[in-house]
Amino acid sequence: MLVHLANVLLSGVFHASILFLVAAGLQVVFGVQRIFNLACGSFYALGAYVGVSFVQASVQAGLPPGLFVLALVAGGLCVAVVGPVVERGLLRFVYDRDETFQLLLTFAVVLMLEDVIRMLWGTSPLSTGGLYLLYGQLKVLGVTVPVYNLIVIGASLLIALLIGYMLARTKFGRIIRAAADNREMSEALGVDMRRVYVRVFTLGTLLGTVGGALVIPATAAMTEMGIELIVEAFAVVVIGGLGSMRGAFVGALVVGVLRSIAISTYPELEMLLIYLIVIAVLVLKPRGLFGGAAA
Amino acid sequence: MRRAGLALVVALILAMPFVAGDYYVTLMLPFFAYSVILLGLNLLFGYTGLLSFGHALFIGVGAYAAAFLTSKFGVMHLEAILLAAAGAAVLIAAPIGGLCVRYVKIYFAMLTLAFGMLFHSFLLKFYFVTGGDEGMRVLQPFLLGFDLSQIPKVRFLTRPFYYYSVVVLAVATFVMWRIVSSPFGLCLRAIRDNPDKAQSLGVSVKRYRWYAFVISAAYAAVGGALLGPTTGQVDPNLAYWTHSGNIVFMMLLGGFANFFGPLVGALVFIFLQDTVMSIVPYWRLVFGAILALIVIAAPGGLMGLLDRRAVSWGEKSRQGGAPP
């Protein structure tokens, strides 16, 4: 029983650590640019596909398969270049528009990226084969967990800490917080908002693509994975509070673990439960658990 | 001039089954259904200023009502089905709307999205009730009490069902026209443009928003019920969030500032999608680019381009901010 519970919790935390990355990307963009970026899920899907390609390429190039994690991260980082393209090419035209139009523009990006993925990688699911268990499994007190899961959880925690450090301690972090707090005032004080927006959106994209790349050994890349994940990430940021990094962290844990528990006990409830919580939070505490905190 | 144009369009629609091929005639059927849906959606967005990103919920309610009534309860009369769909949507929209209209803008969109996905996961997971991802069958309904199952399916769709849909759309359009040109419609526009002022003038903002929400839900369900008989099948994707996005896309494509704009949007969307898909399989890429272009360069949509006088409030509107 206890072993079962531990297994459920661990798989929930693994999912949560991926969710956190995508949700963090959503948060940083919303916090600064005030745009709810539906395309975050598409960036995640893109990262996953590029991850598969990078791993295949690295194996073909004769690199030891043990290095596949590095190939994944490299793939995620490289494909983040779509971030500035989308920001400069599309989003910058709508910053002074009603936010419903901004939302729709990101929906346009969702549509386009879905077909870009179909064009480049086809419609059948892709996976990295047996690499998932390459690092073996860890057995502690009867609980079995793939080492790769632990690596991802660790990496996600590390990224969370890095983001926290960046926001709190670095100059760029201070600028982000200032811009999130008061755009006009920051501009008046000499912050180049254009540059901040490009960087912030690239950071948001990067978190999504790396999240997608890291999930890929554990699951297959599918064309619908983006539009499916975005609603989960949406649940995360609503529960945590829009624009808050701490909110993304806690929200991801809530969604990841609850979903895992629901799947193992009462599968019908899987996402139903999550949406019920989202609605409850929106109705009772629309700013979420950590709403109003700095980006 | 305007009347002549409208008369011409009506004449074309009525003549279509006799001049166009069956394929294009059946393409008109989803157009009629989506037109009904979009009339309602535009009452909420174009007239009241609330963007629902979960309106597919009510399309799903209507479509599944048709499926349940025909294949589980043996209720075959389409009039009864449409009424039941609207009734079910009102019952479901009343509490949901009550919660949603407390918010505006992005929070309204998010809450409607969450409700839509709640319903979607119900349809998907409770397969012993809803058939899960396989969905349910919609049997061919009786029209005005006549059992037309003797007629071949295509003939049924292109003649009796076609004209039935035209009449439903005509009634829906007439009722909606009366709604938006009534004092009630004026109040909704006042709420859209300046909720605080409307409130101070004695308009109960939340209650009127709630009315608009419930009416638009009923429209979506009627349209959803009309979608069923064409394909003979409903599935949870009808309630998925991308479907909500697509109908918002249709509305924007035609132009939400114009009463008939969303209908134009639905027509162009359906026929363009068909054309693009016959050339390349990547209609989303083309349509995503079109949507991006519209949002950036022509927020008034196609009708906005035609009619420059159309008031575009795509620029930052002065609507109320975040929720309390």
Side-chain angles (χ1 to χ4, degrees):
Chain A
M1 180 61 212
L2 223 58
V3 171
H4 178 64
L5 187 70
N7 270 326
V8 168
L9 284 181
L10 271 171
S11 88
V13 171
F14 171 68
H15 189 62
S17 53
I18 298 289
L19 262 180
F20 165 73
L21 293 177
V22 182
L26 203 62
Q27 295 289 44
V28 72
V29 170
F30 187 84
V32 176
Q33 289 162 293
R34 298 276 134 199
I35 289 180
F36 191 92
N37 182 18
L38 290 172
C40 258
S42 310
F43 295 151
Y44 163 82
L46 208 57
Y49 275 94
V50 172
V52 174
S53 294
F54 265 60
V55 167
Q56 284 168 349
S58 80
V59 171
Q60 265 167 17
L63 291 173
L67 289 178
F68 79 89
V69 176
L70 295 180
L72 284 174
V73 173
L77 291 176
C78 286
V79 75
V81 73
V82 296
V85 172
V86 168
E87 200 276 338
R88 282 291 94 189
L90 297 170
L91 290 179
R92 73 180 164 121
F93 298 109
V94 296
Y95 285 133
D96 54 350
R97 292 282 189 76
D98 198 274
E99 53 196 6
T100 48
F101 286 86
Q102 300 169 345
L103 188 71
L104 282 169
L105 190 55
T106 65
F107 182 63
V109 177
V110 171
L111 289 175
M112 287 191 277
L113 285 183
E114 210 185 319
D115 265 356
V116 167
I117 287 175
R118 278 204 181 90
M119 283 168 80
L120 295 178
W121 287 279
T123 47
S124 44
L126 295 180
S127 74
T128 50
L131 288 178
Y132 183 38
L133 295 178
L134 190 73
Y135 295 144
Q137 306 200 54
L138 207 63
K139 284 199 179 89
V140 183
L141 302 171
V143 179
T144 316
V145 52
V147 173
Y148 182 76
N149 283 17
L150 297 178
I151 294 176
V152 170
I153 293 170
S156 184
L157 276 175
L158 183 69
I159 292 172
L161 286 174
L162 280 176
I163 294 174
Y165 174 80
M166 183 204 71
L167 284 175
R169 301 264 177 239
T170 65
K171 189 177 170 214
F172 182 54
R174 276 195 293 277
I175 291 176
I176 286 186
R177 280 185 293 143
D181 201 41
N182 191 331
R183 180 168 143 191
E184 279 85 17
M185 184 61 94
S186 333
E187 235 171 346
L189 289 173
V191 174
D192 181 358
M193 279 320 251
R194 219 176 48 124
R195 245 171 63 198
V196 172
Y197 280 2
V198 179
R199 287 183 183 181
V200 163
F201 197 79
T202 310
L203 176 64
T205 311
L206 193 81
L207 288 166
T209 50
V210 170
L214 285 179
V215 82
I216 209 57
T219 160
M222 286 173 291
T223 42
E224 301 87 16
M225 65 190 294
I227 57 174
E228 275 166 18
L229 193 92
I230 186 64
V231 277
E232 272 184 64
F234 155 79
V236 168
V237 301
V238 170
I239 291 172
L242 271 178
S244 153
M245 274 301 167
R246 261 177 295 173
F249 191 82
V250 176
L253 273 178
V254 170
V255 172
V257 171
L258 274 183
R259 202 179 140 230
S260 182
I261 292 175
I263 289 175
S264 73
T265 53
Y266 205 77
E268 284 84 3
L269 279 185
E270 187 191 342
M271 285 311 284
L272 210 71
L273 185 70
I274 305 294
Y275 294 124
L276 278 176
I277 296 173
V278 166
I279 289 164
V281 168
L282 272 175
V283 169
L284 300 173
K285 204 168 181 302
R287 291 202 181 279
L289 300 177
F290 291 89
Chain B
M1 179 59 202
R2 200 161 261 213
R3 258 160 208 251
L6 199 60
L8 182 71
V9 170
V10 171
L12 278 178
I13 287 175
L14 290 179
M16 187 146 178
F18 296 96
V19 291
D22 282 349
Y23 180 72
Y24 290 100
V25 178
T26 44
L27 267 189
M28 291 295 282
L29 298 174
F31 160 67
F32 298 136
Y34 279 109
S35 291
V36 177
I37 294 164
L38 289 173
L39 282 171
L41 189 67
N42 202 33
L43 181 73
L44 204 54
F45 183 64
Y47 289 89
T48 319
L50 295 171
L51 177 71
S52 168
F53 228 80
H55 229 56
L57 191 170
F58 301 109
I59 301 177
V61 167
Y64 272 83
F68 267 102
L69 288 175
T70 56
S71 56
K72 289 261 162 84
F73 298 107
V75 178
M76 307 304 283
H77 296 279
L78 190 51
E79 301 80 51
I81 291 168
L82 294 180
L83 277 178
V90 168
L91 283 182
I92 294 171
I96 292 180
L99 293 173
C100 290
V101 297
R102 289 157 60 183
Y103 309 106
V104 291
K105 293 195 159 193
I106 197 95
Y107 284 88
F108 179 84
M110 291 197 308
L111 196 51
T112 49
L113 174 67
F115 274 113
M117 289 309 293
L118 183 71
F119 187 65
H120 172 262
S121 36
F122 166 74
L123 291 179
L124 192 65
K125 293 289 177 180
F126 287 74
Y127 59 92
F128 46 91
V129 188
T130 62
D133 57 354
E134 286 174 11
M136 293 176 74
R137 269 167 57 70
V138 181
L139 304 179
Q140 181 174 310
F142 299 172
L143 305 180
L144 300 172
F146 292 106
D147 178 3
L148 301 169
S149 49
Q150 265 54 277
I151 312 176
K153 170 98 177 167
V154 176
R155 185 79 179 170
F156 168 78
L157 290 177
T158 53
R159 292 294 150 81
F161 188 69
Y162 180 92
Y163 287 108
Y164 195 96
S165 302
V166 172
V167 173
V168 172
L169 174 59
V171 172
T173 309
F174 177 72
V175 172
M176 186 55 75
W177 179 254
R178 293 302 297 261
I179 289 175
V180 299
S181 35
S182 70
F184 172 72
L186 193 65
C187 288
L188 292 185
R189 265 169 285 170
I191 288 170
R192 174 195 74 195
D193 293 337
N194 193 336
D196 295 336
K197 199 166 183 179
Q199 183 81 53
S200 72
L201 288 172
V203 179
S204 176
V205 170
K206 274 183 192 160
R207 183 181 304 170
Y208 275 55
R209 279 185 180 143
W210 182 76
Y211 288 146
F213 188 90
V214 173
I215 294 171
S216 76
Y219 265 71
V222 170
L226 275 185
L227 276 176
T230 313
T231 50
Q233 182 80 21
V234 294
D235 65 59
N237 278 334
L238 283 169
Y240 202 50
W241 74 270
T242 48
H243 196 214
S244 298
N246 283 344
I247 58 172
V248 173
F249 181 175
M250 291 182 196
M251 177 171 72
L252 216 68
L253 176 65
F256 59 87
N258 185 300
F259 182 78
F260 289 106
L263 277 56
V264 174
L267 188 71
V268 174
F269 187 99
I270 289 164
F271 279 84
L272 193 65
Q273 186 184 32
D274 184 69
T275 314
V276 172
M277 278 172 86
S278 66
I279 305 167
V280 284
Y282 308 114
W283 69 273
R284 285 184 191 82
L285 187 63
V286 178
F287 274 59
I290 294 175
L291 179 58
L293 208 66
I294 288 175
V295 170
I296 290 171
L302 294 172
M303 291 304 272
L305 290 177
L306 282 178
D307 184 8
R308 287 275 171 192
R309 286 169 301 166
V311 194
S312 157
W313 54 283
E315 306 303 316
K316 196 131 196 143
S317 68
R318 283 171 297 155
Q319 244 201 295

